[in-house]
């Protein structure tokens, strides 16, 4: 039975159940995480495997982020300040990812950024047991307010990504080079050269796909 399922009917069992919270802004229709196996999913998977899911890009900035972490720990020790291990770990990993994606830091050791708060809340809202997932007929009511909260926080994340993308596009229109060669540059170049067809919401979904990875560390403290 298992052999029959895995070899002949694997596609029927490969898709994920779509959570009601994930349907905000039709994220499930463009995200590689939630798309069923299809040509669109295969194209996204091939692109991410070739350009995004590579350890070399993270390794190139890992040393710098570890230096930032070491500096913060030393400063905290000198001032006898309490160190929030969860926040520090989260900030380090998120900045490692954001520098790989955008060549900027999206989190700060000394405070909680709006993006950081929104990212944590998106993960929390998606993880909450939702009545709408068990009783779809009442999903339009959003009894627990999960979808409403998810929409608010996802809008903050999309707004942040939108500003960064616009800055990149503006530099490109002016013929200026960022010399960063980060993942967003690669995505935009691939779209410009028709290597892959992606719309703005597709790009946002690609960017959001890996951001929650840093959050897991925060919740494991």
């Amino acid at each position: 039975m298992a052999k029959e399922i895995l070899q002949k009917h694997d596609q029927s069992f490969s898709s994920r159940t779509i959570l009601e919270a994930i349907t905000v802004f039709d994220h499930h229709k463009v995200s590689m995480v939630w798309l069923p196996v299809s040509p669109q999913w295969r194209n996204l998977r091939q692109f991410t495997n070739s350009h995004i899911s590579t350890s070399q890009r993270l390794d190139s900035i890992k040393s710098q982020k570890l230096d930032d972490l070491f500096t913060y720990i030393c400063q905290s020790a000198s001032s006898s300040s309490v160190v929030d291990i969860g926040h520090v770990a989260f900030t380090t990993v998120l900045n490692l990812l954001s520098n790989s994606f955008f060549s900027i830091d999206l989190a700060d050791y000394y405070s909680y950024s709006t993006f950081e708060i929104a990212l944590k809340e998106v993960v929390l809202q998606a993880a909450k047991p939702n009545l709408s997932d068990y009783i779809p007929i009442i999903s339009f009511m959003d009894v627990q307010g999960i979808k409403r909260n998810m929409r608010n926080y996802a809008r903050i994340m999309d707004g942040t990504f939108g500003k960064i993308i616009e800055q990149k596009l503006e530099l490109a229109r002016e013929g200026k080079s960022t010399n960063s060669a980060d993942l967003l540059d690669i995505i935009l170049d691939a779209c410009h050269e028709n290597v892959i067809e992606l719309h703005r919401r597709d790009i946002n979904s690609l960017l959001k796909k890996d951001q929650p990875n840093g959050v897991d560390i925060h919740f494991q403290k």
Side-chain angles (χ1 to χ4, degrees):
M1 177 65 73
K3 183 178 180 181
E4 181 80 10
I5 292 175
L6 294 175
Q7 290 188 350
K8 297 183 179 180
H9 303 285
D10 56 315
Q11 291 193 15
S12 300
F13 293 90
S14 61
S15 300
R16 295 187 176 187
T17 300
I18 305 299
L19 303 177
E20 185 64 23
I22 303 300
T23 62
V24 170
F25 301 140
D26 290 335
H27 181 61
H28 62 295
K29 296 181 180 179
V30 294
S31 171
M32 188 177 70
V33 176
W34 301 99
L35 278 171
V37 176
S38 61
Q40 181 184 6
W41 178 83
R42 290 190 180 92
N43 289 337
L44 288 173
R45 183 173 181 270
Q46 181 180 7
F47 180 79
T48 54
N49 284 342
S50 300
H51 299 288
I52 296 179
S53 302
T54 56
S55 60
Q56 292 88 344
R57 298 189 182 280
L58 293 178
D59 290 341
S60 64
I61 56 176
K62 182 178 179 180
S63 177
Q64 177 188 347
K65 294 299 106 182
L66 289 178
D67 286 343
D68 292 344
L69 171 62
F70 182 74
T71 299
Y72 172 74
I73 295 297
C74 289
Q75 291 176 347
S76 298
S78 299
S79 60
S80 300
S81 301
V82 176
V83 174
D84 183 341
I85 299 299
H87 175 62
V88 169
F90 174 90
T91 299
T92 302
V93 175
L94 179 55
N95 284 341
L96 178 62
L97 290 172
S98 65
N99 272 271
S100 177
F101 274 65
F102 317 116
S103 301
I104 61 173
D105 288 338
L106 287 178
D108 181 22
Y109 289 118
Y110 300 95
S111 62
Y112 291 86
S113 67
T114 302
F115 181 88
E116 177 183 353
I117 295 171
L119 177 56
K120 291 177 181 177
E121 287 297 329
V122 162
V123 174
L124 285 173
Q125 295 299 322
K128 283 182 179 179
N130 191 346
L131 282 175
S132 297
D133 293 325
Y134 301 99
I135 314 175
I137 196 172
I138 67 170
S139 61
F140 74 96
M141 299 172 63
D142 191 21
V143 178
Q144 297 162 262
I146 291 177
K147 197 169 183 178
R148 180 178 65 254
N149 294 334
M150 178 71 85
R151 185 179 293 108
N152 292 335
Y153 292 117
R155 187 177 287 115
I156 293 174
M157 292 183 65
D158 285 344
T160 300
F161 294 148
K163 290 178 182 178
I164 296 172
I165 292 172
E166 284 301 324
Q167 290 173 358
K168 295 276 190 181
L169 293 176
E170 183 63 27
L171 289 174
R173 284 191 289 267
E174 295 175 357
K176 298 179 181 178
S177 174
T178 61
N179 295 320
S180 58
D182 53 42
L183 295 179
L184 181 54
D185 287 328
I186 293 173
I187 292 173
L188 294 177
D189 288 343
C191 293
H192 179 70
E193 297 171 4
N194 295 320
V195 174
I196 187 171
E197 183 179 353
L198 293 174
H199 300 289
R200 177 63 65 87
R201 68 173 185 171
D202 301 323
I203 296 175
N204 282 354
S205 291
L206 269 177
L207 298 177
K208 277 188 286 194
K209 179 180 76 69
D210 285 327
Q211 295 300 323
N213 290 344
V215 179
D216 291 338
I217 291 180
H218 176 79
F219 293 131
Q220 290 172 8
K221 67 176 181 177

